[in-house]
Amino acid sequence: MAFQTEFDFTLPRGYIDMNGEIHREGTMRLANAADEILPLKDPRVQQNPGYLSIILLSRVITKLGDLPAVDTRVIENLFTMDLAYLQDLYQKINTEEMPGYKGVCPHCGKAVDIPVNFMEAGQ
């Protein structure tokens, strides 16, 4: 099985462009470190932390209908239901596979999956 880096989606309502055309089908790619770090330097995020998700989504949505590009203006003009849907999808695909390792329970001897929590590592 190949590692999946792009995920197709269908917006509940859809983005309506200046010509009145509705764009619902799209593709989102997995986020990388730059996608999460670089927007923090953006003055719009520094003035309003809620704007972070707008920039993040504009970076990771690679396709939306027939639009030539997806930028912050497109994301800003989504219906709230569509924005919430994309924020949920972003969280789901970027946290879907938590790192872990196989282990054996010292009490019962059964094989167990042990999650790795990088936030608590070394404490």
Side-chain angles (χ1 to χ4, degrees), residues 77-109:
N77 287 296
L78 290 171
F79 294 107
T80 56
M81 177 184 284
D82 292 329
L83 180 62
Y85 171 85
L86 290 170
Q87 289 169 328
D88 184 59
L89 178 62
Y90 178 91
Q91 287 289 40
K92 181 180 177 193
I93 69 172
N94 286 291
T95 59
E96 193 171 80
E97 295 181 32
M98 296 300 291
Y101 61 94
K102 301 284 184 194
V104 177
C105 175
H107 303 291
C108 67

Side-chain angles (χ1 to χ4, degrees), residues 47-100:
Q47 291 175 353
N48 178 3
Y51 202 76
L52 177 62
S53 68
I54 302 296
I55 295 176
L56 279 172
L57 291 173
S58 72
R59 291 177 63 96
V60 298
I61 296 174
T62 58
K63 184 178 190 288
L64 183 57
D66 296 331
L67 297 175
V70 177
D71 58 19
T72 55
R73 284 179 295 180
V74 170
I75 304 301
E76 288 171 350
N77 287 296
L78 290 171
F79 294 107
T80 56
M81 177 184 284
D82 292 329
L83 180 62
Y85 171 85
L86 290 170
Q87 289 169 328
D88 184 59
L89 178 62
Y90 178 91
Q91 287 289 40
K92 181 180 177 193
I93 69 172
N94 286 291
T95 59
E96 193 171 80
E97 295 181 32
M98 296 300 291

Side-chain angles (χ1 to χ4, degrees), residues 5-21:
T5 60
E6 292 192 329
F7 300 82
D8 294 330
F9 62 83
T10 302
L11 294 176
R13 296 237 163 94
Y15 170 76
I16 302 174
D17 66 19
M18 293 179 8
N19 299 323
E21 185 177 343

